[in-house]
Amino acid sequence: MPTATVWSSAKSGEKIRIYLEQRTATTAIIQLATWGASQNPNIDHPRSLIAYDLYNVRAVSPSEITCKADGPGPFDPSVDCRLAAAADGGVVAITVPLLIDAQYAVGEEDFEELVLFLKVARFPRA
């Protein structure tokens, strides 16, 4: 199944890794790992690591999916979510209400990897 690993950096110097993996035709996982400014992702464990199961994944366009996300805890309610690769310059938007509402600037190669993932995954149309 297709995967994508996208890197971003915050103004504070934090490094963020966004990992996506398609599991079935309509399910995937997303993992967000964060390292502090003084940490080395090649050596150090991430300062924070959170993963969500995504299901009922649907392609809104070639560069955007909508889905449901299970919260990190066993009793957290599922929520609507969205992942979009903005064509105007390498921005990945991830929205999971009450959990994540972020935009990550990524390099051109990482952006291309994400767009390729969304194309290859061939999630059903919304």
Side-chain angles (χ1 to χ4, degrees), residues 2-6 18-22 110 113-115 117-118:
T3 64
T5 302
V6 179
I18 304 164
Y19 173 77
L20 292 157
E21 181 179 324
Q22 183 180 16
D110 284 344
E113 183 174 345
L114 177 63
V115 171
F117 169 81
L118 293 173

Side-chain angles (χ1 to χ4, degrees), residues 15-45:
K15 296 159 220 57
I16 301 133
R17 183 189 67 212
I18 304 164
Y19 173 77
L20 292 157
E21 181 179 324
Q22 183 180 16
R23 292 290 173 99
T24 69
T26 60
T27 64
I29 62 165
I30 186 168
Q31 182 187 74
L32 301 166
T34 305
W35 287 266
S38 63
Q39 290 184 295
N40 181 341
N42 295 322
I43 300 170
D44 300 319
H45 291 288

Side-chain angles (χ1 to χ4, degrees), residues 6-80:
V6 179
W7 287 91
S8 182
S9 295
K11 289 181 183 177
S12 63
E14 289 182 322
K15 296 159 220 57
I16 301 133
R17 183 189 67 212
I18 304 164
Y19 173 77
L20 292 157
E21 181 179 324
Q22 183 180 16
R23 292 290 173 99
T24 69
T26 60
T27 64
I29 62 165
I30 186 168
Q31 182 187 74
L32 301 166
T34 305
W35 287 266
S38 63
Q39 290 184 295
N40 181 341
N42 295 322
I43 300 170
D44 300 319
H45 291 288
R47 188 181 69 204
S48 70
L49 179 65
I50 190 161
Y52 297 96
D53 291 319
L54 307 178
Y55 60 96
N56 197 23
V57 180
R58 299 286 186 249
V60 175
S61 72
S63 62
E64 182 178 354
I65 59 173
T66 61
C67 52
K68 295 278 188 188
D70 279 340
F75 301 108
D76 291 338
S78 63
V79 293
D80 293 329

Side-chain angles (χ1 to χ4, degrees), residues 69-124:
D70 279 340
F75 301 108
D76 291 338
S78 63
V79 293
D80 293 329
C81 61
R82 172 184 165 270
L83 186 140
D88 61 348
V91 175
V92 178
I94 301 172
T95 305
V96 179
L98 305 176
L99 302 171
I100 304 169
D101 187 6
Q103 294 189 358
Y104 301 96
V106 299
E108 188 175 329
E109 287 181 19
D110 284 344
F111 185 76
E112 293 294 326
E113 183 174 345
L114 177 63
V115 171
L116 179 63
F117 169 81
L118 293 173
K119 285 181 183 176
V120 172
R122 296 188 183 193
F123 292 112

